[in-house]
Amino acid sequence: KRGFWRNLKPIEAGLQLYHYIQERFKTYIVTKANKYCDLVWGEKAEWVHKHLGYDVNLMVVTDKEQIKGDLLFDDDTRNAELFLKTNPNGKVIMPLRPHNQSVRIRSDISPKRLCLWDDSPMVKSWTPLGHDGSAISTPISFNTYDFSVPYKVIDEVLSIK
């Protein structure tokens, strides 16, 4: 459907993690698109430019099998398995989604190389206080995220380099 990819809302935790990774690695956004649907190719590029800017290394591919690198961030179990198979020292950070909740990677691949990450927001609240310590307004709610899993994986990859 026209506009689906272009109008997809970004996942805030993913944007924050991308910027963290981008500061530490030569980073590429690799997204898969059907080779018979030109619309998807353009809309995915538009989405990346809108949410990450134009100074991004972007590759739209029909197959992620040949991707080489140290770290892959992907929610697709097939892509994770192919990456781990072809990158013997690589690691994968996989955000949990309904379609990958029961992820099973081949037994010959070390489970230490696949790190599952729950990137759902944790709602926190803060109540502004006056000088006397009393609440001066209703509590303000905001989302925060637990980045301990991906930060640990990124630090491990960086320590090997």
Side-chain angles (χ1 to χ4, degrees):
K1 181 178 174 185
R2 185 173 301 279
F4 175 80
W5 294 104
R6 180 186 322 114
N7 299 321
L8 204 58
K9 291 184 193 293
I11 296 171
E12 182 60 34
L15 293 177
Q16 289 181 32
L17 185 60
Y18 170 76
H19 292 295
Y20 182 85
I21 292 171
Q22 183 189 33
E23 293 170 3
R24 289 156 179 79
F25 292 92
K26 182 168 178 126
T27 307
Y28 292 86
I29 301 289
V30 181
T31 186
K32 188 174 175 180
N34 184 311
K35 62 183 165 187
Y36 302 109
C37 188
D38 298 341
L39 176 69
V40 174
W41 292 63
E43 287 198 6
K44 285 189 169 195
E46 288 176 38
W47 187 98
V48 168
H49 295 149
K50 177 179 177 182
H51 297 286
L52 299 174
Y54 285 87
D55 191 24
V56 173
N57 296 311
L58 173 64
M59 295 189 300
V60 183
V61 300
T62 57
D63 189 353
K64 290 186 178 180
E65 188 169 353
Q66 301 303 315
I67 301 303
K68 302 288 184 212
D70 299 309
L71 181 63
L72 176 71
F73 182 86
D74 203 309
D75 67 342
D76 187 308
T77 55
R78 181 179 173 273
N79 293 335
E81 189 169 290
L82 288 170
F83 180 82
L84 293 172
K85 179 181 160 190
T86 58
N87 295 274
N89 297 317
K91 292 193 176 214
V92 173
I93 298 172
M94 182 180 293
L96 292 173
R97 298 288 180 266
H99 64 270
N100 68 15
Q101 291 291 314
S102 58
V103 61
R104 294 191 190 280
I105 297 293
R106 293 187 355 234
S107 61
D108 61 323
I109 295 175
S110 168
K112 292 180 180 177
R113 296 180 54 215
L114 173 67
C115 304
L116 302 176
W117 177 40
D118 181 358
D119 64 344
S120 54
M122 300 176 293
V123 178
K124 300 231 175 167
S125 63
W126 171 71
T127 304
L129 302 177
H131 294 294
D132 63 357
S134 63
I136 58 174
S137 74
T138 57
I140 299 168
S141 294
F142 59 95
N143 290 337
T144 186
Y145 304 91
D146 179 4
F147 288 104
S148 59
V149 170
Y151 286 177
K152 179 177 180 270
V153 173
I154 291 163
D155 289 344
E156 288 172 1
V157 170
L158 287 172
S159 70
I160 295 170
K161 295 194 119 318

